[in-house]
Amino acid sequence: MTPAPADQFAELAPLGALGILDGEDRAAFEAHVGTCAGCRAERDAYDAVVVSRLGLAAGEVAPPASLRPRVVTSTAPGAAPAPPLPSLAWLGFAASLLLAVTSAGALYQRAEARREAESLRAQLSEVQGLALRRGEELAALRQDLAAATVERDQVRLVQDIALGPDARLTPLGGQGPQPGAAARILWSASRRQGILCASGLPPAPEGKAYELWVIAGAAPIPAGVFLSAADGRAVHTVALDEQAARAATFAVTLEPREGSAAPTGPMVLAGQVG
Amino acid sequence: MAETHAQRLVRKLAEGDQGALGEFYDLFAGLVNGLALRILRDATEAEDVVQEVFVQVWRQASRFDPARGTPEAWLCTMARSRALDRLRRRASRREEPAESAPANVGVPRNEEALAVRKALEGLSPDQRRALELAYYEGLTQSEIAERLGEPLGTIKTRIRTAMIRLRDALAPLQP
């Protein structure tokens, strides 16, 4: 009979089964489970009854038909059975004797051909495996290239604005809940473009984003939403319309992810055009 | 209890029956692809996971123990593990998540899948959200707490409560 699980570790069992324990909880639970059959059984029960079945909720989505031969052939090269020999039952005895003599040579050739076909199949599956790996590498490189292209465009924008006749640099200071945040907007009224560089902005909570506002008289003009990276930095390019080009103040607030038409959330950055 | 068709196929795979692999793929590729797609939100990456899982199935069919769970559960565990591995590798390269495929496009394959969905709908929205972050995004309890802006203790209790409710709802279920 397995002993009853110790209470504190029994509480961790479902979390352990889900794989979400970290830090001291994780170390303590894994060490304990090594010696306590009750807690091990409790964790395994949560895994069997709940965790291993949760994936069923996602539902089925058939992959493209082209995937099947790639998977089945490259995994088990002999999975496609060799074609069967044709039936000789309808022939008479003499005819089948004559056929037996001449077909000996044909059978040898057929065996040769089958050996060659098997060799080609093996080579094909090897090439398919190689193509799959190259495809993975290519996908990874594409992702890196996309990220690098974004950064290159940002650098070009900075160059274009900075080298123009009316480049302005407006500093913004941290406000309200983010006193440690800071930013500068490099912008040009004639180019109707700007680029905001911020630091000390923690990643926005779930479902939220930062939104830039340009205040040039009456109501604040929305100037795009952006997110910050894990290190607190953010870069956001802005298109300034004719009215926004007469900006007097820039501000950043925390808004719903899709942005707002007017500021509703707390202000985190603000700066006046000097 | 009599052997199910799926269990028989796994046994044949363990015996090295290559013909069984195609049939096994036809039965379960949609299941693996649907789960990988839900986690990775990228069709190409999901297909790579399908390939990896069926290679693993072929190599480890002899380790499958029907007393410990169904072939579906075994596949879900492998698919989730490989998809989360890819998700973590992707996260270390870029910051923004790619949201290219909507959630819940998959079709439930049978009554067991419907029961799991129903059990999840029986949770409160907070409980479901926390569980989804744990299961589909592979976040730790601390990461979930930070993402939702809640104290760690609250999240642990919330997830534990959700897991107990799910266990009660799903324990009577016959595989």
Side-chain angles (χ1 to χ4, degrees):
Chain A
M1 189 171 98
T2 50
D7 280 342
Q8 58 175 137
F9 291 112
E11 282 190 3
L12 294 181
L15 308 184
L18 201 47
I20 64 170
L21 292 178
D22 57 10
E24 286 178 19
D25 275 350
R26 179 174 169 174
F29 184 74
E30 285 183 0
H32 178 77
V33 140
T35 62
C36 171
C39 284
R40 199 160 54 240
E42 182 81 343
R43 180 202 61 191
D44 289 349
Y46 273 104
D47 183 57
V49 174
V50 181
V51 181
S52 66
R53 284 155 144 178
L54 279 177
L56 294 173
E60 298 204 343
V61 176
S66 57
L67 181 63
R68 189 188 193 281
R70 274 165 38 206
V71 171
V72 174
T73 320
S74 71
T75 305
L85 294 173
S87 166
L88 303 174
W90 56 275
L91 287 179
F93 176 77
S96 54
L97 195 59
L98 180 64
L99 206 59
V101 169
T102 55
S103 66
L107 277 174
Y108 176 77
Q109 285 179 343
R110 198 200 309 270
E112 268 297 302
R114 196 176 310 141
R115 272 193 286 278
E116 193 179 341
E118 277 169 14
S119 163
L120 284 173
R121 263 197 286 269
Q123 287 177 43
L124 178 62
S125 75
E126 214 181 296
V127 169
Q128 283 172 335
L130 191 67
L132 192 68
R133 283 196 294 281
R134 290 289 171 262
E136 282 181 20
E137 289 170 18
L138 187 61
L141 282 171
R142 281 207 176 108
Q143 282 181 0
D144 291 341
L145 180 62
T149 304
V150 166
E151 288 182 354
R152 182 205 61 192
D153 290 344
Q154 286 169 350
V155 168
R156 281 210 183 130
L157 182 61
V158 168
Q159 288 173 336
D160 289 346
I161 298 175
L163 292 171
D166 64 345
R168 310 196 58 176
L169 192 64
T170 299
L172 285 77
Q175 309 288 322
Q178 304 299 343
R184 284 200 173 92
I185 295 191
L186 175 70
W187 59 288
S188 157
S190 67
R191 296 188 63 90
R192 309 269 179 87
Q193 282 178 315
I195 180 163
L196 166 81
C197 300
S199 66
L201 271 185
E206 183 81 5
K208 302 269 193 192
Y210 295 106
E211 185 161 3
L212 177 67
W213 306 92
V214 182
I215 299 150
I221 304 165
V225 290
F226 60 96
L227 300 175
S228 61
D231 63 0
R233 288 160 70 120
V235 178
H236 174 59
T237 57
V238 193
L240 302 166
D241 65 13
E242 196 179 326
Q243 186 188 6
R246 296 193 289 270
T249 304
F250 293 100
V252 175
T253 63
L254 187 66
E255 299 295 335
R257 187 72 157 84
E258 63 278 4
S260 309
T264 65
M267 187 182 306
V268 297
L269 284 163
Q272 288 195 330
V273 174
Chain B
M1 203 165 110
E3 190 180 50
T4 66
H5 179 55
Q7 286 169 342
R8 187 181 140 273
L9 282 176
V10 177
R11 187 169 52 74
K12 289 211 153 298
L13 290 171
E15 291 163 7
D17 181 343
Q18 294 169 335
L21 184 65
E23 206 182 330
F24 196 72
Y25 178 92
D26 292 334
L27 268 183
F28 293 118
L31 170 66
V32 176
N33 191 51
L35 178 53
L37 203 55
R38 174 68 176 82
I39 292 174
L40 291 164
R41 309 288 183 103
D42 181 297
T44 308
E45 292 216 75
E47 287 163 34
D48 289 345
V49 169
V50 172
Q51 171 126 18
E52 288 171 19
V53 166
F54 280 90
V55 168
Q56 191 177 350
V57 161
W58 176 247
R59 290 191 185 144
Q60 298 182 356
S62 55
R63 291 199 223 157
F64 173 74
D65 179 4
R68 293 192 58 173
T70 61
E72 282 101 336
W74 183 45
L75 286 164
C76 284
T77 304
M78 284 189 284
R80 178 188 179 223
S81 172
R82 290 189 171 270
L84 288 180
D85 281 348
R86 279 180 174 259
L87 195 65
R88 287 176 191 125
R89 281 205 297 275
R90 179 209 283 174
S92 70
R93 275 201 300 266
R94 315 189 278 181
E95 293 116 2
E96 300 248 356
E99 299 260 331
S100 56
N104 284 347
V105 290
V107 177
R109 74 182 276 115
N110 55 15
E111 289 193 13
E112 191 184 1
L114 281 170
V116 175
R117 274 207 185 164
K118 192 166 167 220
L120 285 168
E121 281 155 24
L123 300 177
S124 75
D126 280 350
Q127 288 172 337
R128 195 163 47 246
R129 186 75 186 112
L131 203 67
E132 283 172 356
L133 289 178
Y135 187 81
Y136 293 113
E137 294 192 37
L139 300 188
T140 65
Q141 55 191 14
S142 308
E143 287 167 342
I144 297 171
E146 192 182 326
R147 178 80 76 90
L148 298 177
E150 302 257 31
L152 178 60
T154 304
I155 291 302
K156 287 169 67 174
T157 304
R158 185 178 299 168
I159 294 181
R160 186 173 120 75
T161 308
M163 290 288 283
I164 293 171
R165 280 175 78 166
L166 288 175
R167 184 179 176 177
D168 289 343
L170 296 176
L173 209 63
Q174 295 301 320

